[in-house]
Amino acid sequence: MTTARKQSPVRISRLDRTLIMTAVLLSSIFPVELFSNTAPAPKGHDGQYSGKQGQVLVVKVMGEEQATEVKGTFLKRTIPFFREFRPGEPDGYIGLLGIDMQDDPGTYEFAVEVKQGEQAKQLSFNVLVGKEKFIVEHLKLPKEKVDLDEKAVTRWKAEQQLVQQALAENSRLKLWHSNFVEPVNGKRTGIFGSVRIMNGQPRNPHNGEDIGAPMGADVAATNDGIVRITVDHIFSGKGVFVDHGLGFYSMYFHLSEILVKDGDLVTAGQIIGKVGATGRATGPHLHWGVKLNGARVNPYSLLDLPFKNGSIPANSIATPIPETPSVPEPVPVKQ
Ligand SMILES: [Zn+2]
């Protein structure tokens, strides 16, 4: 039994109210600590980027030739940077920042630490995450492939764990290079991130891109890497997970045949398997997925990366913010 407790209304005097309002106003005008002598620079002081859910942003830190390590944090994900040399350009460090397909739209800080021996410097960028319009997909599948029995659920959970363990360690070396390869010649279906309704029931969004291709068509590795694990799992069917280093993984599912083994080194364009319809698939196609430091990104965003011809276009570099104590104005996200 519960008894409702009567609460006497808390009375706030007019003076108290004024004080509270003043404090709220002040804290919104000065988002940094009010009374600190060494107030840190406002968030986003070093520039800003914008992108949509599932996109990859190229973040460049220039003029840190002496740095021993550069790494960033975005929504609790760690983003390692790598050294970039380009003839005729100042040295810089580059980080690939993946926006997960389910990161909520909004503005977030991308905090970057530049280490030089014992010393560390903090940089702060603002990242505006825009909403992507994902399609809604209705799928009809055999009942047993959607409504899993207890045995299938146990199997699925064990498989998930196995993959997680295999991918827990990243190669600390950057193995990939700028020439990404589309893994199969086929029809891109554009269903990355789609909201999936299976036999009328809402399910997890689709975390990769499906490419329609005939049974047995060649599937190539998108870039150089190490085969971290090959599987034959309930949903993914025959699959290959390639570790490209620095937290970048690519995966290839529903294969009819796997042509590599765990631990194999592969190069961009190397045939690693054949298109199939194993696992939970309605017909032959390749499911191509990419994880970037834990973010599920659209694999095609790799092909769009501004690395081609050895240069990065100006618009992918953060807009420098003039030395001013004010927080930069948000920039509208490009549609
Ligand atoms: Zn798929």
Side-chain angles (χ1 to χ4, degrees):
M1 196 178 75
T2 54
T3 43
R5 263 198 306 171
K6 269 198 176 170
Q7 296 213 331
S8 56
V10 180
R11 293 192 184 280
I12 303 172
S13 74
R14 186 175 286 186
L15 175 66
D16 284 346
R17 230 178 283 168
T18 312
L19 283 172
I20 291 167
M21 282 311 291
T22 313
V24 168
L25 272 173
L26 279 174
S27 61
S28 63
I29 295 169
F30 303 105
V32 289
E33 290 171 78
L34 275 178
F35 304 109
S36 166
N37 288 330
T38 52
K43 284 182 179 175
H45 183 260
D46 297 291
Q48 53 194 340
Y49 292 85
S50 63
K52 284 186 182 176
Q53 294 166 319
Q55 285 185 347
V56 177
L57 301 175
V58 178
V59 178
K60 194 163 183 180
V61 171
M62 307 286 290
E64 300 290 350
E65 286 85 358
Q66 307 302 316
T68 46
E69 191 190 5
V70 180
K71 67 171 186 228
T73 310
F74 180 72
L75 293 172
K76 295 187 182 159
R77 303 194 285 267
T78 304
I79 287 95
F81 280 64
F82 54 91
R83 191 86 181 259
E84 180 80 354
F85 299 98
R86 287 181 192 282
E89 281 182 34
D91 275 6
Y93 278 80
I94 286 183
L96 293 189
L97 174 61
I99 301 175
D100 187 84
M101 62 185 197
Q102 287 191 298
D103 281 344
D104 286 330
T107 303
Y108 305 96
E109 188 190 25
F110 181 39
V112 178
E113 185 180 61
V114 180
K115 270 194 188 159
Q116 192 185 324
E118 294 295 294
Q119 308 228 317
K121 184 168 109 178
Q122 310 296 328
L123 300 174
S124 171
F125 300 92
N126 271 344
V127 177
L128 276 76
V129 174
K131 194 167 174 53
E132 182 61 280
K133 259 193 187 164
F134 297 123
I135 61 168
V136 178
E137 205 190 358
H138 291 268
L139 294 172
K140 269 233 162 285
L141 283 142
K143 199 174 179 303
E144 66 277 9
K145 292 213 171 189
V146 178
D147 303 315
L148 301 183
D149 58 24
E150 206 178 311
K151 205 172 136 208
V153 171
T154 310
R155 178 183 162 189
W156 171 70
K157 281 186 181 164
E159 290 173 352
Q160 292 275 95
Q161 213 175 2
L162 191 75
V163 169
Q164 255 175 24
Q165 279 167 3
L167 308 192
E169 296 259 325
N170 300 327
S171 294
R172 302 187 110 238
L173 283 176
K174 171 179 166 284
L175 303 171
W176 55 275
H177 51 74
S178 55
N179 296 317
F180 288 88
V181 173
E182 194 170 3
V184 69
N185 286 324
K187 193 178 172 296
R188 177 181 169 180
T189 53
I191 64 158
F192 170 80
S194 64
V195 179
R196 303 193 112 176
I197 316 283
M198 288 185 190
N199 298 356
Q201 306 167 32
R203 290 299 159 106
N204 285 337
H206 188 245
N207 60 10
E209 181 59 284
D210 287 347
I211 312 170
M215 181 68 82
D218 285 343
V219 173
T222 189
N223 214 313
D224 295 3
I226 297 172
V227 175
R228 194 50 75 195
I229 185 172
T230 54
V231 299
D232 189 354
H233 285 175
I234 189 163
F235 286 164
S236 50
K238 289 185 180 171
V240 177
F241 292 77
V242 181
D243 176 359
H244 301 282
L246 297 182
F248 161 28
Y249 278 95
S250 65
M251 48 215 90
Y252 311 80
F253 293 165
H254 310 306
L255 305 174
S256 56
E257 217 181 315
I258 294 175
L259 302 175
V260 286
K261 317 183 293 300
D262 296 9
D264 278 0
L265 279 171
V266 292
T267 53
Q270 183 180 331
I271 308 306
I272 56 172
K274 302 279 184 183
V275 167
T278 54
R280 192 164 71 180
T282 47
H285 73 280
L286 174 71
H287 171 107
W288 181 27
V290 164
K291 259 193 177 182
L292 209 47
N293 299 299
R296 298 156 299 172
V297 299
N298 188 331
Y300 278 92
S301 60
L302 297 173
L303 301 181
D304 299 337
L305 281 182
F307 289 128
K308 304 222 172 84
N309 310 320
S311 71
I312 296 176
N315 64 7
S316 75
I317 308 297
T319 328
I321 305 293
E323 291 291 323
T324 151
S326 69
V327 177
E329 285 287 309
V331 184
V333 176
K334 277 187 200 154
Q335 291 303 307

